[in-house]
Amino acid sequence: RYLAMTDLVAYALASFAVAIPMALAGTGVWALAWSALAQHVVTMLLLGRREVPFRGLRFDFDRVSDLLAFGIPLTGAKIANFVALQADNVIVGKFLGVAALGAYSRAYAVNTLPASLLAQAVDRALFPVMSGAQADRGALERALLRGLVALLAIFPPLSAYCFVYAETIIDLLLGPQWGQAVLPFQILSLVMYFSVAYRLPDIALQAVGRTELLMRLQAVYALLVVAAALVGVHYGLAGVALGVG
């Protein structure tokens, strides 16, 4: 809970004290860079106030096999997720060129910034809860449902705001020269909720130790993203954004 609150406080301070004033001052993409740096600094300062007792170092050979059985599929899932998140960029760069890739990647980065920052807090808050409830299927399902409902209170209104004011947001954060990024940003903003919500079942699978199932699902997700991007690229940036979204 303390880690989740730390992430939320750091994100709020970085956004309202750094990102928004710098964007209004016309610094463009540097507002995002300095905001991310400020968030890490605030997180470090807040965590530094907590004293964690040192319990010593030891290596438990009996648990190595269990850790490998959990960790290897989890690593595979992370790799598949990385492919899914980067495949569209590779395809856009290869078929549409560097200029189109710049516009698409900036639109994607601005769109996913609030989702990715909040997702870190969600991960840290829900994983311990779901791990503690792994023996109680009903409690685990209730925790998952509460998380999905809580996200509904945040992201649909945020998505609507980003869709309506996409041109203003891109102009403030990136500058008027990035007008090509407006349409992909609008399309991606429509699925902002799902870009965070899908992480909750991932956390639940990790909490119950089903990392092998998580790896298979992430592999399917990566294949679908690649296929959708390859089809959508024939229709330009909007087609890729629509396919990937």
Side-chain angles (χ1 to χ4, degrees):
R1 181 175 297 178
Y2 182 80
L3 290 176
M5 288 302 300
T6 297
D7 283 341
L8 289 175
V9 170
Y11 172 66
L13 288 176
S15 298
F16 289 101
V18 179
I20 294 177
M22 289 187 67
L24 294 175
T27 58
V29 71
W30 286 104
L32 299 177
W34 283 105
S35 174
L37 178 61
Q39 183 186 6
H40 288 300
V41 171
V42 173
T43 300
M44 179 185 68
L45 293 175
L46 291 176
L47 291 179
R49 296 176 59 86
R50 297 280 290 191
E51 295 184 4
V52 180
F54 180 69
R55 302 183 184 278
L57 299 175
R58 64 176 182 172
F59 189 82
D60 191 342
F61 290 94
D62 295 334
R63 297 188 178 182
V64 169
S65 60
D66 291 337
L67 291 175
L68 290 177
F70 178 87
I72 291 176
L74 181 60
T75 301
K78 297 293 185 182
I79 293 173
N81 184 256
F82 177 81
V83 172
L85 295 178
Q86 299 300 324
D88 51 346
N89 289 321
V90 174
I91 292 170
V92 169
K94 181 175 178 58
F95 291 100
L96 299 180
V98 176
L101 175 60
Y104 179 80
S105 63
R106 291 304 89 203
Y108 189 91
V110 174
N111 179 267
T112 58
L113 181 63
S116 61
L117 292 176
L118 184 60
Q120 296 176 13
V122 171
D123 288 354
R124 292 184 177 184
L126 284 183
F127 184 75
V129 174
M130 291 184 174
S131 296
Q134 59 180 296
D136 188 342
R137 182 68 176 270
L140 186 62
E141 291 177 352
R142 288 192 296 272
L144 180 60
L145 181 60
R146 284 197 299 268
L148 293 172
V149 172
L151 293 179
L152 278 174
I154 300 172
F155 283 98
L158 181 60
S159 295
Y161 181 87
C162 290
F163 182 84
V164 173
Y165 296 101
E167 186 172 355
T168 302
I169 293 171
I170 294 297
D171 186 56
L172 279 175
L173 295 179
L174 303 179
Q177 71 273 19
W178 291 95
Q180 191 180 4
V182 172
L183 182 56
F185 177 77
Q186 285 182 305
I187 295 173
L188 291 171
S189 68
L190 295 176
V191 294
M192 189 182 294
Y193 170 78
F194 300 100
S195 66
V196 180
Y198 89 95
R199 299 174 68 100
L200 271 63
D202 285 3
I203 299 170
L205 289 174
Q206 292 181 49
V208 298
R210 295 297 307 277
T211 52
E212 77 289 345
L213 176 57
L214 177 61
M215 181 176 65
R216 291 197 294 268
L217 292 175
Q218 289 289 359
V220 172
Y221 172 50
L223 291 174
L224 290 175
V225 168
V226 171
L230 287 173
V231 173
V233 77
H234 296 288
Y235 304 94
L237 292 182
V240 177
L242 186 61
V244 172

